Amino acid sequence: MCSGLWAARAELLARPEPRRIVLLLTDGVPSDTPGAVADTSLRLHKDGIEVAAIGIKEASVQRHWKNHRVIDDPSQLAQAMFHILTTLLTSRRQRAA
């Protein structure tokens, strides 16, 4: 998971848009240590990149990201994505400390 987040970070930092969002989808527990996932997520946050996650039959996203959804079936994916993106786009962006 961390390698995917680092790759997304590199791509997004090269973009000119003022707002950068990663929507992470996972169906498994990260193979990285929880500390590594937290450190990587904090680095993205400090870089101004917002991370949201959807766990497909996987609740570990609750431990790592404030903006998350857990779904039981892939048929719920569209609704979960809409909910997460609506929440992100209608709320004030949180600045890194």
Side-chain angles (χ1 to χ4, degrees), residues 8 12 19-24 44 48-52 67 84-85 88-89 93:
L12 289 172
R19 191 163 187 192
R20 299 170 178 112
I21 298 171
V22 170
L23 178 57
L24 182 132
L44 270 70
I49 299 171
E50 300 166 80
V51 180
N67 191 359
I84 280 184
L85 292 173
L88 277 171
L89 299 174
R93 180 176 167 204

Side-chain angles (χ1 to χ4, degrees), residues 10-87:
E11 292 289 327
L12 289 172
L13 289 177
R15 301 289 311 166
E17 289 82 12
R19 191 163 187 192
R20 299 170 178 112
I21 298 171
V22 170
L23 178 57
L24 182 132
L25 306 175
T26 186
D27 65 350
V29 176
S31 59
D32 308 286
T33 65
V37 175
D39 290 346
T40 302
S41 295
L42 180 59
R43 177 73 254 171
L44 270 70
H45 180 73
K46 286 181 177 180
D47 289 333
I49 299 171
E50 300 166 80
V51 180
I54 297 174
I56 303 168
K57 294 184 178 183
E58 179 50 57
S60 66
V61 296
Q62 297 174 84
R63 290 191 305 266
H64 300 293
W65 299 283
K66 181 179 177 180
N67 191 359
H68 69 273
R69 296 286 277 193
V70 177
I71 60 174
D72 295 318
D73 188 88
S75 66
Q76 300 169 312
L77 185 58
Q79 183 180 8
M81 289 174 70
F82 181 79
H83 179 270
I84 280 184
L85 292 173
T86 298
T87 300

